[in-house]
Amino acid sequence: MSGNKFQFAIDRGGTFTDIYARCPGGKVRVMKLLSEDPLRYADAPREGIRRIMEQELKESFPIRDPLDTSKIDFIRMGTTVATNALLERKGERMALVITEGFSDLLFIGNQSRPKIFDLKIELPEVLYEEVVEVSERVIPHQDRCEMNIKSSIMQGDTNEKLLVWKQLDETKLAKDLRQIYNKGIRSLAVVLLHSYTYPEHENRIGVIAKKMGFTQISLSSQVMPMVKVVPRGYTACVDAYLTPCIKTYLENFKAGFDKNLSKINLLFMQSDGGLTPINKFNGSRAILSGPAGGVVGYGVTTYNKIDKIPVIGFDMGGTSTDVSRYDGNYEHVFETTTAGVTIQAPQLDINTVAAGGGSMLFYRSGLFVVGPESAGANPGPTCYKKGGPLTVTDANLCLGRLLPEFFPKIFGEREDEPLDYHKTRLAFKDLTKLVNRFMASQNNKHADYSIEDVAMGYIKVANEAMCRPIRALTQAKGHDASKHILACFGGAGGQHACSIARMLGMSNVFIHRYSGILSAYGMALADVVHEAQEPCACAYTKANLNHIDTRIDFLVKKCRNELSKQGFSKDNIRFETYLNMRYERTDCSLMCAPTSIHSVDKNALNVSMFGDFLTTFNKRYKTEFGFDIPDRPIMVDDVRVRGIGFLEHVDTGPSESSSQSSIDKPRSVTVTNCYFEGGTRRTPVYQLDSLISHHVITGPALIINNNSTILIEPECVARITDDGNIDITVNIGQRKQVSDELDAIQLSIFSHRFMSIAEQMGRVLQRTAISTNIKERLDFSCALFGPDGGLVSNAPHIPVHLGAMQEAVKYQLKVLGSQMKHGDSILSNHPCAGGSHLPDLTVITPVFAPNHKEPIFFLANRGHHADIGGSTPGSMPPNSNHIQQEGAVFKSFMLVQDGVFREREVTEQLMEPRKYPGCSGTRNLHDNLADLRAQVASNRKGIGLVLDLIASYGLNVVQAYMKHIQDNAEVAVRQLLKQVAQGNAAESGTSNCVLYGEDRMDDGSKIKLAVKIGYEHGTAEFDFTGTSPMVANNLNAPRAICYSAIIYCLRSLVGHDIPLNQGCLTPIVITIPKWSLLDPEENAAVVGGNVTTSQRIVDVIMQAFQACAASQGCMNNVTFGDETVGYYETVAGGAGAGPSWHGQSGVHSHMTNTRITDPEILELRYPCILNCFHLKLGTGGRGKFRGGDGILREIIFRKDMLLSVLTERRIFAPYGLQGGEPAKVGSNLLVKANGGPIVNLGGKNSIKVSAGDLFRLQTPGGGGYGPPPESSVEVKRKARAKRRRISVEDDSILSHVNRGSVYDFISQAEAH
């Protein structure tokens, strides 16, 4: 260490810049500045350095002069410059260069919408401004290919065989790039199919573009050479979009110092938790630059290598909270979504949720709601005196947990006033009146809440909301949250840490003395990291180990060379080696480090010279997913090496104030009144700077730090450690007794707890299932039901499952009744038993309590099985006319009896369809059985969670709140119906409110609806009288689907989160003619009803309510295969426009949201070529607000197979509303090979296809809303705008960053 020089570690955040400085002589300085304060300084990090040097050296450093660097040893920095530019869409102007036919590939993405109940589908704007389509094409070589492709076989970097189907047209490319260059664009993202393994075409484009003068060229094959073109393409776009911004910022930063910091060791924090030199810092690896420092900070300072207790990081700020985990190793993810963009790059698994000090407080239909909207810094909370809303910060202030006298006077319009306690209290007074008025309307005997009761209620609800991602983060990987230490940092976390720990069963909270600037401190503790990665694509076998070892060794040398160039000696470099491994035919890969080679037999099978990767993979897979697949090959997708150059770290030893210890009692600076559960208590206040080692503080107490307030709750004890940190012991204690009477605060908490049960069941099901449908596509739903079979909570996974499972449970109650015993689980899928279609298998498990003969609850989950037999592979026959052709049938099958899984009996039933002509039993028995076991395990997890809840609160209370939460959903729906009736009366002048809707299926079958709304009580009858009779095809929809469609529509029309349960249908009467299209007889075919008729039901309901124009009204089901291979997909289309929004293009709508297979995976695994995949402009209906466009997708078959299509809206177009025009219908065409004819397949067909045949699918658009504009210029402008996701008309969805593995899981689940 250069002891006579300054060492700076800086976190430049979005609002504040935190600075940790170690000064000459060892003195530590900490500073916090506004990141943006242009009237005072140009750059916050430089200003912080200038001020500290000026104050410590007693010298003048003029603010406008380059800063003298002779006294600076190093600067280490993290910055949110990249994240902010991505959030605000303020990056560099850029163009996307992509394979011809795929101009809209990154627009469409995985085709799912982020929020399933939002009719106005909002997607973040794409990053590129222009698109250049490149005439070139590389495809995988396939031995099974029967096409005559004239091309020599090439070998890719992964040893995969490839064909150059079309050579790069450099002349056309140069012409197109010149046009882009002339528009002033200098940044390019180049994304070609299969370039991860064959980068030659991308490299050539890079050379041409560089000669032309482009300054930033991000080749996807270099930025992140991993298979899957969509996330790789996003990553290249992020790099091209953000790297120039970072370079500009860094140049400006360096310009503030003499010699441009050329003599200073300047390092930047990457998203993976490692530092890198300035010239290696780029956009795609900078997204988590700031938060990564916090993970390093708590990992180094909290984790004890002796006791090895894992740590949960809890970083609560103003707008959001970051949650992460450390167990001695950093947990990385390699594909995550930030601000709507999927990024492939190593990143610490930091899960960000929209809950912070600035989260806004709402009272909706009897529920306390916290966030996700945030007040931000401006206007900020009510107490900031700028007209802002009530927030979590206000609740803490109202309860006495924040003291204005210890805050700087920086509030009000002139930013010179203290926090305003009185404004906050007045606002809570008004809110309390609203709450009490509503509660009195529900129960006139309800005792009024005090202002403190209401504020405390919001704190409890906020804490419960923050506990959910922590539970998910730990349980997702098989860990117990209670067996962790909670490391709390960030400005707002200290007020909630004790309560969060208690709710999670944690007994220990650790708060570092630098908790307010821990991200900056973490920069000072980090090491330099250089990563190298390349694709591999080979099986992990003894025969391939030499090749794998060679590639690892090559990357090790590459990392060593890079770190050596930075001055690291051999002794200061170590390497971490990884293989990205997965089971063949699955997409769930794990990045695995080897077991030490010293602990295994070096001569054993499958042991690399770098260690035993196989043991690590098997152990991790079993831990995270609960099973292994013994007979399936294990693939290596990528080889990765992480080179670490060890730096000199700052001293983490005792602070100045803690270098002494004391047996005396600490002295408080004042005593205040704080409100806790049970009332107000006198609470001493301490200054952290005055506390020294061995001081013990018993709660309640407040500890004030320079940057935060820490609440020590009653029955908690804080000890000051030798290093000056705060170690809090939390007494879990007994939970306060809760009455079964309705309490609005407990109602909100139980709403979270019930939903958490369904979510955790889902995590177990996803972890333990084996099939792609459940494990990766997340095509399942989990739910909790009351003793009467009524839905209590349903994690919002699949819209078509929402009301259907309730009917399935009630059917079993009616049929089996008292025959159900403890240890039983029932399997069902029949439409007459509440099923949707046969591939959706429902497992129902009753929950019994001691001394109760009847079930106290039911748990159920429904999962889509890829095949359960029938006439076609995939069990989705387009021409079925009897249910037996669609697969195995279960009504009330006892899957588990007395705790025994009945494998033989269920196998027999799954093979039953082979008895019918032209049908087969299940074609995938192994996966069926494995997934059914996973479904049983999911329900068992739910049983444990329900019984834990009962143990905490008592059965009477839990069942009472089950009923209360159903009543709450009922209230929300009644309020909606009253509003609709009131609006209708104002328009029509009559008190009678009857809404009408009508539409037809392509076969002419009619769905007719009259909604008769009663204003006085908020009731409605959904009367489908006049609907056509059941049909001889498979468009029949079981009653349960109608229930699901109605719940989906009601929730969408409410417009905000409400509990999804039986209460939604309590005010509703549903009338469906018997043996009609919507209530067919028992043996009717129904597979099309689930995937097409369900969509038309929604269109009819939305038409009746005049909510939005029709969406594409179809799922576009496509299946192809033969006896050796089978593939199934659904394809997106256009969404309908609404009263104030344009319909979104190329997205799934309403009752489905399934993701589509990445083009590279499709071509690698299946005998086909994806010829094009883009928007079909002009297919959306014209209107004041235009409908979304459909998609054009072409698939060329490489061998003879059977193609099946099950589609709608090929005859009757999606309607427009209020003068808006209908959309274009879809079409299914087969273009025969070698110049043969074009055949119209119609909406539903199965046909044999030959090698070279091309299937052209055009999906329908969405209808327009309102009369279209007359100006053709306006129409053209809007048509162009459709190529960009310019549907975000305000910044509300970008007010916080949701990210991390938990967020990705929930997004995927909710997106289905």
Side-chain angles (χ1 to χ4, degrees):
M1 168 182 176
S2 302
N4 61 342
K5 290 190 176 184
F6 289 90
Q7 299 174 329
F8 293 100
I10 304 170
D11 174 28
R12 187 192 185 280
T15 304
F16 290 103
T17 291
D18 298 332
I19 303 168
Y20 170 89
R22 197 160 191 81
C23 307
K27 181 181 178 181
V28 171
R29 288 288 308 273
V30 170
M31 184 173 288
K32 186 180 285 281
L33 295 173
L34 286 171
S35 293
E36 300 289 343
D37 196 350
L39 295 179
R40 291 182 172 85
Y41 44 81
D43 182 75
R46 178 193 178 278
E47 176 64 10
I49 293 172
R50 188 192 70 82
R51 290 185 188 183
I52 290 174
M53 290 178 63
E54 196 169 67
Q55 293 163 12
E56 292 300 314
L57 297 176
K58 311 299 183 188
E59 296 180 24
S60 174
F61 293 95
I63 195 169
R64 297 186 185 280
D65 292 352
L67 197 56
D68 178 18
T69 59
S70 63
K71 297 293 179 66
I72 299 176
D73 180 21
F74 66 68
I75 300 173
R76 299 173 188 171
M77 199 157 100
T79 175
T80 59
V81 167
T83 307
N84 293 341
L86 187 61
L87 278 171
E88 299 164 11
R89 295 302 193 259
K90 292 181 179 179
E92 182 77 3
R93 292 181 64 198
M94 61 156 291
L96 171 66
V97 181
I98 195 166
T99 301
E100 189 174 46
F102 296 86
S103 58
D104 298 308
L105 180 64
L106 300 188
F107 179 101
I108 299 166
N110 62 23
Q111 76 180 6
S112 67
R113 62 194 189 277
K115 297 180 180 178
I116 61 172
F117 298 114
D118 285 3
L119 300 178
K120 178 184 178 182
I121 300 171
E122 294 186 315
L123 300 169
E125 184 183 352
V126 293
L127 304 181
Y128 49 87
E129 188 175 319
E130 299 285 343
V131 178
V132 173
E133 294 190 64
V134 182
S135 179
E136 69 84 42
R137 193 62 158 93
V138 174
I139 60 174
H141 168 75
Q142 292 183 353
D143 292 333
R144 58 187 170 181
C145 179
E146 298 168 4
M147 292 175 62
N148 182 22
I149 299 175
K150 296 179 180 179
S151 171
S152 57
I153 298 175
M154 312 292 291
Q155 187 162 309
D157 291 349
T158 59
N159 285 332
E160 292 171 293
K161 294 178 180 179
L162 302 154
L163 301 173
V164 179
W165 197 26
K166 186 186 292 185
Q167 292 290 342
L168 175 65
D169 186 340
E170 296 189 8
T171 303
K172 179 180 180 297
L173 172 69
K175 180 181 175 182
D176 292 341
L177 287 180
R178 176 59 62 186
Q179 291 179 351
I180 297 297
Y181 188 88
N182 291 340
K183 292 180 180 181
I185 294 174
R186 298 292 182 270
S187 184
L188 299 177
V190 183
V191 185
L192 305 183
L193 267 68
H194 301 288
S195 63
Y196 73 96
T197 184
Y198 187 82
E200 279 76 1
H201 286 177
E202 282 196 2
N203 292 339
R204 184 63 191 147
I205 292 172
V207 171
I208 294 170
K210 187 174 183 180
K211 285 182 179 179
M212 199 170 287
F214 287 95
T215 55
Q216 175 65 41
I217 305 162
S218 297
L219 306 182
S220 75
S221 54
Q222 293 180 4
V223 173
M224 181 48 66
M226 294 181 75
V227 68
K228 293 186 183 177
V229 65
V230 172
R232 190 174 75 249
Y234 282 141
T235 307
C237 285
V238 168
D239 197 72
Y241 189 70
L242 298 181
T243 300
C245 298
I246 291 174
K247 287 180 178 177
T248 299
Y249 172 75
L250 296 181
E251 290 303 316
N252 292 337
F253 175 69
K254 291 193 298 180
F257 297 83
D258 64 359
K259 300 177 184 177
N260 275 347
L261 285 173
S262 59
K263 302 296 184 182
I264 300 301
N265 186 9
L266 176 60
L267 299 171
F268 280 82
M269 177 62 77
Q270 301 181 108
S271 299
D272 64 359
L275 297 166
T276 192
I278 189 170
N279 61 318
K280 302 286 185 183
F281 193 48
N282 59 47
S284 60
R285 301 199 176 206
I287 301 299
L288 298 183
S289 176
V295 178
V296 175
Y298 83 74
V300 174
T301 60
T302 307
Y303 181 76
N304 187 318
K305 293 181 180 179
I306 297 175
D307 58 33
K308 296 185 178 180
I309 300 175
V311 184
I312 293 291
F314 178 71
D315 178 8
M316 184 178 178
T319 59
S320 61
T321 297
D322 286 344
V323 175
S324 54
R325 182 178 181 274
Y326 182 80
D327 62 358
N329 295 291
Y330 295 114
E331 297 189 350
H332 290 98
V333 290
F334 298 87
E335 184 175 311
T336 189
T337 302
T338 299
V341 180
T342 302
I343 300 170
Q344 274 187 335
Q347 302 178 43
L348 291 173
D349 190 7
I350 301 173
N351 292 270
T352 303
V353 292
S359 293
M360 294 163 59
L361 312 181
F362 304 94
Y363 188 68
R364 293 176 179 150
S365 306
L367 276 179
F368 282 52
V369 179
V370 178
E373 298 88 346
S374 174
N378 191 13
T382 298
C383 60
Y384 281 19
K385 304 178 76 168
K386 290 185 179 180
L390 282 175
T391 68
V392 171
T393 294
D394 289 299
N396 278 311
L397 179 65
C398 185
L399 297 173
R401 299 174 175 201
L402 293 177
L403 304 179
E405 58 268 33
F406 290 96
F407 271 73
K409 295 181 179 181
I410 57 173
F411 305 101
E413 292 299 328
R414 293 180 298 178
E415 300 183 351
D416 59 356
E417 301 177 62
L419 289 173
D420 196 330
Y421 171 81
H422 298 290
K423 270 189 182 293
T424 289
R425 191 164 181 85
L426 283 173
F428 266 111
K429 184 178 180 181
D430 292 340
L431 180 57
T432 302
K433 288 178 181 178
L434 175 66
V435 173
N436 285 330
R437 191 161 54 244
F438 180 88
M439 294 304 296
S441 71
Q442 303 298 301
N443 179 6
N444 55 18
K445 296 181 181 179
H446 187 275
D448 282 352
Y449 292 117
S450 68
I451 292 173
E452 289 78 12
D453 290 335
V454 171
M456 187 69 183
Y458 280 105
I459 295 295
K460 289 180 178 178
V461 173
N463 290 342
E464 183 61 43
M466 288 183 284
C467 284
R468 278 171 69 178
I470 296 176
R471 292 190 186 104
L473 178 67
T474 51
Q475 293 179 351
K477 297 179 179 178
H479 307 301
D480 183 348
S482 66
K483 296 178 179 177
H484 289 69
I485 297 170
L486 187 68
C488 177
F489 55 108
Q495 297 138 49
H496 299 259
C498 289
S499 183
I500 294 284
R502 183 177 279 126
M503 293 169 75
L504 292 168
M506 295 177 173
S507 59
N508 190 229
V509 174
F510 186 86
I511 302 178
H512 194 270
R513 66 184 184 273
Y514 296 135
S515 62
I517 61 149
L518 196 64
S519 289
Y521 188 56
M523 314 284 175
L525 303 176
D527 293 306
V528 170
V529 169
H530 182 84
E531 289 217 3
Q533 182 171 320
E534 65 177 35
C536 184
C538 72
Y540 188 86
T541 62
K542 190 170 186 178
N544 288 332
L545 279 180
N546 185 55
H547 170 71
I548 292 170
D549 286 346
T550 299
R551 300 320 302 163
I552 295 175
D553 189 54
F554 171 77
L555 296 182
V556 166
K557 291 175 180 175
K558 191 173 180 180
C559 289
R560 181 182 291 115
N561 289 338
E562 287 293 337
L563 292 171
S564 297
K565 290 177 186 177
Q566 298 174 40
F568 289 95
S569 66
K570 182 179 178 181
D571 293 338
N572 285 334
I573 300 175
R574 71 176 176 88
F575 302 97
E576 295 175 356
T577 58
Y578 300 90
L579 297 181
N580 196 24
M581 307 171 75
R582 61 177 173 84
Y583 281 115
E584 189 178 42
R585 304 197 312 277
T586 72
D587 285 332
C588 194
S589 58
L590 296 174
M591 193 67 76
C592 298
T595 301
S596 170
I597 201 166
H598 301 294
S599 60
V600 298
D601 180 2
K602 297 178 185 179
N603 297 314
L605 186 68
N606 293 350
V607 175
S608 158
M609 63 181 286
F610 292 93
D612 184 2
F613 292 95
L614 186 62
T615 296
T616 302
F617 174 78
N618 288 334
K619 183 178 179 181
R620 279 192 60 193
Y621 205 94
K622 191 75 177 284
T623 300
E624 295 197 22
F625 305 124
F627 67 96
D628 52 22
I629 314 176
D631 300 325
R632 191 173 293 188
I634 295 169
M635 305 302 295
V636 178
D637 282 340
D638 305 279
V639 178
R640 171 180 167 233
V641 173
R642 183 175 170 89
I644 302 170
F646 290 104
L647 288 171
E648 174 191 4
H649 293 161
V650 299
D651 186 11
T652 59
S655 64
E656 292 180 16
S657 63
S658 65
S659 57
Q660 346 165 23
S661 63
S662 174
I663 58 173
D664 297 330
K665 289 186 177 181
R667 294 183 181 180
S668 62
V669 294
T670 187
V671 177
T672 188
N673 290 322
C674 278
Y675 186 86
F676 297 94
E677 216 167 339
T680 302
R681 296 183 62 167
R682 298 288 286 167
T683 303
V685 181
Y686 302 88
Q687 290 274 17
L688 180 59
D689 288 345
S690 66
L691 299 176
I692 59 178
S693 176
H694 298 159
H695 269 158
V696 177
I697 299 169
T698 302
L702 290 174
I703 300 177
I704 308 295
N705 197 358
N706 291 332
N707 305 303
S708 61
T709 299
I710 299 160
L711 175 68
I712 311 300
E713 293 198 357
E715 301 180 19
C716 296
V717 178
R719 293 173 175 82
I720 307 302
T721 69
D722 291 340
D723 297 335
N725 307 316
I726 304 172
D727 192 348
I728 305 172
T729 301
V730 178
N731 183 356
I732 307 302
Q734 293 293 317
R735 189 182 297 273
K736 181 188 173 185
Q737 207 60 29
V738 175
S739 165
D740 58 8
E741 291 292 322
L742 175 62
D743 177 271
I745 299 165
Q746 291 298 332
L747 181 69
S748 303
I749 292 171
F750 270 98
S751 176
H752 279 285
R753 295 302 297 270
F754 287 141
M755 185 61 76
S756 181
I757 290 173
E759 288 174 351
Q760 291 184 65
M761 288 171 62
R763 296 310 294 257
V764 170
L765 178 51
Q766 188 238 359
R767 279 180 53 228
T768 56
I770 193 173
S771 70
T772 298
N773 267 351
I774 294 179
K775 177 173 286 295
E776 287 137 24
R777 294 179 66 239
L778 304 179
D779 194 350
F780 65 83
S781 288
C782 298
L784 169 68
F785 304 83
D788 62 348
L791 180 63
V792 176
S793 68
N794 191 132
H797 296 150
I798 312 291
V800 79
H801 293 170
L802 286 175
M805 277 203 289
Q806 173 176 285
E807 298 306 303
V809 176
K810 288 185 174 183
Y811 179 88
Q812 304 309 327
L813 262 174
K814 181 176 70 174
V815 172
L816 296 178
S818 60
Q819 296 178 46
M820 288 184 283
K821 305 295 182 185
H822 174 71
D824 292 348
S825 287
I826 299 98
L827 176 61
S828 173
N829 70 347
H830 198 291
C832 76
S836 45
H837 65 166
L838 297 189
D840 284 343
L841 298 185
T842 303
V843 175
I844 301 164
T845 305
V847 182
F848 292 86
N851 305 318
H852 282 74
K853 294 183 179 180
E854 302 296 325
I856 57 171
F857 281 98
F858 288 90
L859 296 160
N861 60 70
R862 178 168 289 179
H864 185 100
H865 287 238
D867 195 291
I868 56 165
S871 61
T872 63
S875 306
M876 297 281 289
N879 297 319
S880 57
N881 53 35
H882 192 283
I883 197 169
Q884 301 294 354
Q885 296 170 317
E886 299 177 354
V889 177
F890 302 89
K891 279 188 181 176
S892 301
F893 182 85
M894 200 64 71
L895 179 65
V896 178
Q897 192 164 29
D898 294 328
V900 178
F901 185 85
R902 302 174 70 220
E903 180 174 334
R904 179 176 61 82
E905 292 83 354
V906 75
T907 298
E908 291 174 356
Q909 194 68 18
L910 285 166
M911 301 308 297
E912 184 79 8
R914 63 186 173 186
K915 296 180 179 178
Y916 299 93
C919 294
S920 164
T922 179
R923 301 165 183 87
N924 202 353
L925 179 63
H926 178 267
D927 283 10
N928 292 139
L929 295 175
D931 284 354
L932 286 171
R933 286 193 174 92
Q935 290 180 260
V936 171
S938 170
N939 285 357
R940 285 177 179 162
K941 176 66 176 180
I943 290 173
L945 295 170
V946 169
L947 294 179
D948 286 347
L949 201 60
I950 291 170
S952 297
Y953 292 97
L955 177 60
N956 290 341
V957 171
V958 173
Q959 289 191 327
Y961 274 92
M962 172 207 73
K963 180 65 169 64
H964 294 327
I965 208 74
Q966 291 173 332
D967 293 344
N968 178 260
E970 176 187 343
V971 168
V973 172
R974 289 187 188 276
Q975 288 178 342
L976 165 70
L977 295 172
K978 288 180 180 180
Q979 290 168 5
V980 172
Q982 191 174 21
N984 185 77
E987 287 184 15
S988 64
T990 174
S991 59
N992 293 328
C993 181
V994 184
L995 312 177
Y996 297 98
E998 184 176 318
D999 206 342
R1000 291 182 182 272
M1001 306 296 290
D1002 281 349
D1003 68 353
S1005 300
K1006 180 171 61 179
I1007 298 176
K1008 188 173 182 179
L1009 171 67
V1011 183
K1012 306 163 189 174
I1013 300 178
Y1015 171 73
E1016 184 178 356
H1017 300 293
T1019 58
E1021 179 187 5
F1022 282 68
D1023 186 355
F1024 289 93
T1025 299
T1027 295
S1028 293
M1030 59 177 281
V1031 290
N1033 55 40
N1034 59 29
L1035 296 181
N1036 303 292
R1039 289 180 65 94
I1041 286 177
C1042 220
Y1043 284 43
S1044 295
I1046 291 171
I1047 287 185
Y1048 165 80
C1049 291
L1050 291 172
R1051 165 61 184 84
S1052 296
L1053 293 168
V1054 167
H1056 59 78
D1057 285 340
I1058 63 171
L1060 292 169
N1061 59 45
Q1062 174 179 269
C1064 293
L1065 293 180
T1066 300
I1068 308 298
V1069 174
I1070 301 173
T1071 302
I1072 304 174
K1074 187 176 182 181
W1075 292 347
S1076 69
L1077 182 69
L1078 306 184
D1079 187 14
E1081 64 94 13
E1082 183 172 341
N1083 293 314
V1086 296
V1087 68
N1090 182 70
V1091 297
T1092 59
T1093 310
S1094 62
Q1095 296 281 52
R1096 193 72 85 261
I1097 297 170
V1098 172
D1099 279 344
V1100 170
I1101 296 172
M1102 293 302 178
Q1103 182 189 66
F1105 281 88
Q1106 295 288 288
C1108 62
S1111 293
Q1112 70 157 333
C1114 179
M1115 299 183 191
N1116 299 297
N1117 302 269
V1118 177
T1119 307
F1120 61 82
D1122 58 15
E1123 64 281 356
T1124 63
V1125 66
Y1127 176 72
Y1128 169 68
E1129 69 181 14
T1130 62
V1131 185
S1140 62
W1141 68 86
H1142 301 294
Q1144 190 60 257
S1145 300
V1147 69
H1148 263 319
S1149 53
H1150 298 320
M1151 299 301 277
T1152 188
N1153 212 18
T1154 51
R1155 300 185 170 205
I1156 200 159
T1157 304
D1158 187 272
E1160 289 179 346
I1161 298 297
L1162 175 67
E1163 294 185 346
L1164 285 166
R1165 296 186 184 173
Y1166 302 97
C1168 67
I1169 299 168
L1170 187 61
N1171 194 52
C1172 72
F1173 185 36
H1174 57 78
L1175 298 181
K1176 183 65 174 175
L1177 293 181
T1179 51
R1182 294 174 67 244
K1184 179 181 179 182
F1185 297 99
R1186 66 189 183 278
D1189 284 327
I1191 280 173
L1192 184 67
R1193 184 172 173 89
E1194 294 182 350
I1195 298 174
I1196 299 174
F1197 304 106
R1198 302 181 71 170
K1199 62 177 296 191
D1200 296 352
M1201 288 183 288
L1202 181 70
L1203 168 67
S1204 299
V1205 292
L1206 179 53
T1207 62
E1208 270 286 322
R1209 293 290 195 198
R1210 267 52 183 174
I1211 296 174
F1212 292 98
Y1215 62 78
L1217 273 185
Q1218 300 294 322
E1221 296 181 358
K1224 298 288 194 301
V1225 297
S1227 63
N1228 306 320
L1229 302 176
L1230 185 67
V1231 182
K1232 299 298 288 183
N1234 302 318
I1238 298 177
V1239 181
N1240 187 342
L1241 300 181
K1244 300 159 191 69
N1245 211 332
S1246 281
I1247 186 171
K1248 290 183 178 180
V1249 294
S1250 302
D1253 288 353
L1254 180 148
F1255 172 56
R1256 180 178 295 147
L1257 170 71
Q1258 180 183 311
T1259 67
Y1265 193 101
E1270 296 181 5
S1271 166
S1272 60
V1273 174
E1274 175 71 4
V1275 173
K1276 288 179 181 177
R1277 185 190 69 79
K1278 290 181 176 178
R1280 285 197 304 271
K1282 275 195 228 182
R1283 279 193 177 274
R1284 307 187 71 200
R1285 292 172 169 173
I1286 308 179
S1287 58
V1288 184
E1289 295 172 3
D1290 56 61
D1291 293 330
S1292 60
I1293 68 164
L1294 300 179
S1295 59
H1296 57 270
V1297 190
N1298 281 330
R1299 61 186 168 221
S1301 60
V1302 173
Y1303 166 68
D1304 286 341
F1305 170 82
I1306 292 172
S1307 297
Q1308 291 171 29
E1310 292 184 352
H1312 285 71

